[in-house]
Amino acid sequence: MASPVTSMLTASLNLSNISSSYCRFSAALFPASDNFSARVSISQKCEGHLRNVLRFSSAIRRSGVVLHSVAQKSNPSGSTDLQLGGNGAPTEGVVVLVIGGGGREHALCYALKQSPSCDTVLCAPGNAGISSSGDATCIPDLDVSDSAAVISFCRKWSIGLVVVGPEAPLVSGLSNALGKAGIPTFGPSSEAAALEGSKDFMKSLCDKYGIPTAKYKTFTDPLEAKQYIKERGAPIVIKADGLAAGKGVIVAMTLDDAYEAVDSMLIHGIFGSAGSRVIVEEFLEGEEASFFALVDGENAIALESAQDHKRVGDGDTGPNTGGMGAYSPAPVLTKQLQSIVMESIILPTVNGMAAEGCKFVGVLYAGLMIEKKTGLPKLIEYNVRFGDPECQVLMVRLESDLVQVLLAACRGELSRVTLDWSPGSAMVVVMASNGYPGDYEKGSIIKNLEEAEFVAPSVKVFHAGTAMDLDGNFIATGGRVLGVTAKGVNLEEARDRAYQAVEAINWPGGFYRRDIGWRALPMKQIADK
C-alpha cells in the first residue's frame, strides 16, 4: 500500500501533467484572443487551476517533500528530481511572482524554481515556452501595467516576492506601488530606474560623481546637435534619451549618417517621446562587456561576468539588436578589471543615487567599454534589470538560493550574502525571426524543441517570443524567439553543445549568428597552451 507521501506525490505529478497540458492550451489561445468572453473563460480556468497548484504544493511541503518542478519535463530516464527537507522536516516555501514574458523572465523562473526556499513560481504574463517547460505557472490575463491589479493578485495568492523583469514596469513605478503595499519587490523605484529611463540623467550622475564615461552633450535642437557633430567628427554615437526597446543607439561612421540619425529622432520622431532629446557621444574603441551587480540601496555584490553580442551579423556586422548571444565568464573582464569596475563605477553610482535621495534596489547592469588605448573600463550605459540574453547564461551557472539572495537585497542585507557559481562556462545562442531587427515574420512553426534539449548534456532552451497554434505547434511571435543555452567545462564545450542544440531545432523561419564567443575563444586557446 502506498504511503501518504507517495500518494500525495503521485497526485501532484498528475496535477502537474494537467498543468502542462492546460498551460499549453492557454498559451495557444489567450494571447491571440480578442474575444472578451474567451478571455474571461480562460481566466476562470486559470484561477481554479492556480488554486490546485498552490494547494498541492503546500501539501507536499507539509509532508516534507520538495517537488522542484510544477510540471515535470519528460526525460529519457523517467526520473523525477525530488529533495527531502532537512532531517525529513517540512520546509516553508516562498511563492514568487515574476513580471514579464521574455527570455530573461524564463531564465529567472528557471533559477527561482531551483531555489530550495521556493514553493511555487508564477509568471505574468509568461509565454508558451515557460508554461510548457514547467518552470512556472503562467498568468496571462494579469495586467502588469495595472499596479492595483498586481497588488490585489499578490495579496490574494500570498506572494512572498515579486521579481520585475522588464524595464518598462520599473520606469512606470510598479516597484513603488508594491513597496508601499508592503510586498517584497526586487526592482528599483521609478526614480532610481531613471538610470535607464533617461540617458541624460545617467550622464549627469556620472559627471557629478566622477564616474568614467564617454564625453557627450545633450540636445533638443537638431541644428545645434549637427553643429556639435561637425565639430567632433565621425565616427560618433547618437542616442535617444528615453527607452527605445534597445534600438535607440546609432553608431554613425560618417557625418551624413550622424545627421540622418539626429533628423530621424528629433524631426521625424522615429522613437516618439523617447527620442525628443538626444545624447551625442564620443565613439569609444575597444571591447564591450557586461557587468552585473545586485544592490540593496547601500551595498553591492558583483555577479559573474558575461559578454553580449549586439550586432546582428557574424563578425559583429550589421545593425544593433537586443542581443544575439552571450557567454559567461568573459575573459576580457579580469579579476583586476572587475575590482576597478566596482570601485570606480558601481559603488560611486550606488552612493550617488543614495545621496540624490533615490536609493537603488535591484540589479545594476553596466554596459562597459574596455578602451583599447587605456585598457580601462568606461560606462556606456546602465540598465536597471538583468540583461537579455546575459541573464540566461548567469542563471544556469548560479548555484545559490536565488529567492533568499533577492529577499536579502529587498531587506538591505546583501552585506551578509555570498554567491556560489558552477565552474566552467555557459553560452547562449539567440535564434531570431527572419528579418530581425527590422520587420520580421510572425507565425512560423518551430519544431524539435524538446529533442534539442537532449542532444547534449546541460542544454536548456529558453523561450522569448513563442506561442502555440491550435494544432499544438510552437510558433514564433517575436523578433528574438529562443535562447539556446548550454554549460560546459570550458567555453569551447559550452559552444559546441549550444550549437548542437541549435542545429537540432527545425525552424526555417529563423536565423542565428554562428560565431558567438569569437572574441573569447582565441584568448582561451592561448591561455590553455
Side-chain angles (χ1 to χ4, degrees):
M1 184 175 181
S3 69
V5 170
T6 303
S7 299
M8 196 174 296
L9 177 57
T10 302
S12 179
L13 287 175
N14 288 337
L15 174 67
S16 298
N17 292 332
I18 295 170
S19 168
S20 182
S21 300
Y22 171 67
C23 286
R24 283 173 174 262
F25 171 78
S26 175
L29 292 186
F30 187 83
S33 177
D34 293 320
N35 181 279
F36 179 76
S37 63
R39 293 171 70 93
V40 171
S41 174
I42 291 173
S43 174
Q44 290 169 345
K45 289 180 180 179
C46 274
E47 181 164 323
H49 174 68
L50 182 54
R51 286 187 193 280
N52 288 335
V53 169
L54 293 174
R55 188 178 75 245
F56 274 90
S57 180
S58 177
I60 286 182
R61 285 278 178 179
R62 289 196 300 271
S63 74
V65 177
V66 180
L67 181 61
H68 277 285
S69 63
V70 175
Q72 183 69 27
K73 185 178 72 177
S74 62
N75 66 61
S77 67
S79 62
T80 304
D81 183 17
L82 297 174
Q83 189 178 66
L84 289 173
N87 297 320
T91 56
E92 289 298 324
V94 179
V95 180
V96 183
L97 173 63
V98 175
I99 301 293
R104 165 184 51 233
E105 288 74 40
H106 192 175
L108 287 169
C109 289
Y110 168 82
L112 289 162
K113 188 192 74 172
Q114 312 302 316
S115 297
S117 60
C118 180
D119 184 291
T120 304
V121 182
L122 311 178
C123 187
N127 64 46
I130 296 173
S131 295
S132 65
S133 68
D135 291 322
T137 297
C138 293
I139 317 296
D141 55 347
L142 176 60
D143 183 358
V144 297
S145 66
D146 183 346
S147 296
V150 176
I151 291 169
S152 177
F153 180 90
C154 290
R155 286 174 172 163
K156 181 174 184 177
W157 300 106
S158 302
I159 302 299
L161 172 65
V162 177
V163 181
V164 185
E167 63 274 20
L170 295 169
V171 173
S172 66
L174 179 58
S175 289
N176 301 57
L178 290 167
K180 287 178 182 177
I183 299 166
T185 303
F186 182 78
S189 66
S190 58
E191 296 81 7
L195 278 173
E196 178 171 0
S198 171
K199 294 178 180 63
D200 182 62
F201 174 85
M202 184 272 285
K203 286 286 194 178
S204 298
L205 190 83
C206 289
D207 284 348
K208 186 171 182 178
Y209 293 98
I211 299 165
T213 188
K215 296 175 184 175
Y216 78 103
K217 274 197 173 183
T218 302
F219 298 94
T220 56
D221 184 296
L223 293 179
E224 292 179 4
K226 290 177 183 178
Q227 180 59 39
Y228 179 76
I229 290 168
K230 185 177 180 180
E231 293 170 1
R232 300 294 301 180
I236 200 163
V237 181
I238 318 298
K239 296 181 176 181
D241 177 54
L243 298 177
K247 300 177 182 178
V249 177
I250 296 174
V251 180
M253 302 309 293
T254 68
L255 290 178
D256 286 341
D257 288 344
Y259 299 153
E260 183 180 344
V262 168
D263 287 343
S264 70
M265 296 182 199
L266 293 181
I267 296 177
H268 304 303
I270 187 173
F271 298 122
S273 60
S276 61
R277 181 166 53 181
V278 301
I279 287 80
V280 180
E281 187 177 271
E282 74 170 314
F283 174 81
L284 297 178
E285 188 177 3
E287 188 169 350
E288 290 188 45
S290 304
F291 189 94
F292 298 87
L294 301 180
V295 183
D296 67 4
E298 297 180 358
N299 306 290
I301 56 173
L303 301 181
E304 270 284 9
S305 62
Q307 189 164 38
D308 189 11
H309 296 64
K310 288 293 186 188
R311 299 296 185 98
V312 71
D314 290 353
D316 286 344
T317 57
N320 273 348
T321 69
M324 294 300 294
Y327 54 89
S328 172
V332 66
L333 274 174
T334 63
K335 293 298 182 185
Q336 181 183 12
L337 273 179
Q338 290 181 51
S339 178
I340 292 172
V341 172
M342 282 295 289
E343 294 300 322
S344 67
I345 296 176
I346 300 298
L347 292 178
T349 299
V350 173
N351 294 333
M353 292 294 285
E356 296 296 316
C358 48
K359 286 187 176 183
F360 188 95
V361 176
V363 62
L364 266 182
Y365 163 17
L368 305 172
M369 180 67 75
I370 312 303
E371 270 203 288
K372 186 176 180 179
K373 63 182 180 182
T374 65
L376 295 175
K378 282 189 175 179
L379 180 65
I380 300 174
E381 64 178 3
Y382 266 131
N383 295 311
V384 296
R385 31 72 187 185
F386 286 98
D388 188 345
E390 295 98 329
C391 185
Q392 286 83 316
V393 290
L394 292 174
M395 290 303 102
V396 298
R397 292 193 59 215
L398 182 67
E399 293 187 338
S400 298
D401 186 325
L402 183 59
V403 170
Q404 290 305 314
V405 170
L406 300 188
L407 283 173
C410 296
R411 297 166 181 157
E413 298 174 353
L414 279 181
S415 60
R416 295 193 266 170
V417 171
T418 57
L419 297 176
D420 296 321
W421 303 89
S422 67
S425 299
M427 177 179 287
V428 57
V429 178
V430 170
M431 299 186 75
S433 296
N434 289 338
Y436 177 80
D439 294 333
Y440 53 82
E441 302 173 10
K442 291 183 180 180
S444 55
I445 293 175
I446 310 169
K447 295 183 177 180
N448 296 347
L449 287 173
E450 187 169 352
E451 292 84 348
E453 291 195 330
F454 297 118
V455 299
S458 303
V459 171
K460 175 69 178 177
V461 178
F462 294 111
H463 290 239
T466 61
M468 278 194 167
D469 65 16
L470 294 177
D471 296 321
N473 298 307
F474 280 106
I475 59 172
T477 59
R480 294 186 300 160
V481 176
L482 301 169
V484 183
T485 309
K487 292 194 296 182
V489 295
N490 53 37
L491 189 56
E492 290 92 337
E493 184 173 73
R495 175 198 60 190
D496 292 345
R497 289 175 172 180
Y499 277 107
Q500 270 185 273
V502 166
E503 290 163 7
I505 294 171
N506 182 1
W507 183 27
F511 75 98
Y512 55 93
R513 279 185 57 164
R514 299 175 183 274
D515 65 343
I516 302 302
W518 71 275
R519 289 183 181 274
L521 285 167
M523 295 173 66
K524 181 67 179 177
Q525 289 163 357
I526 291 170
D528 285 346
K529 290 181 180 178

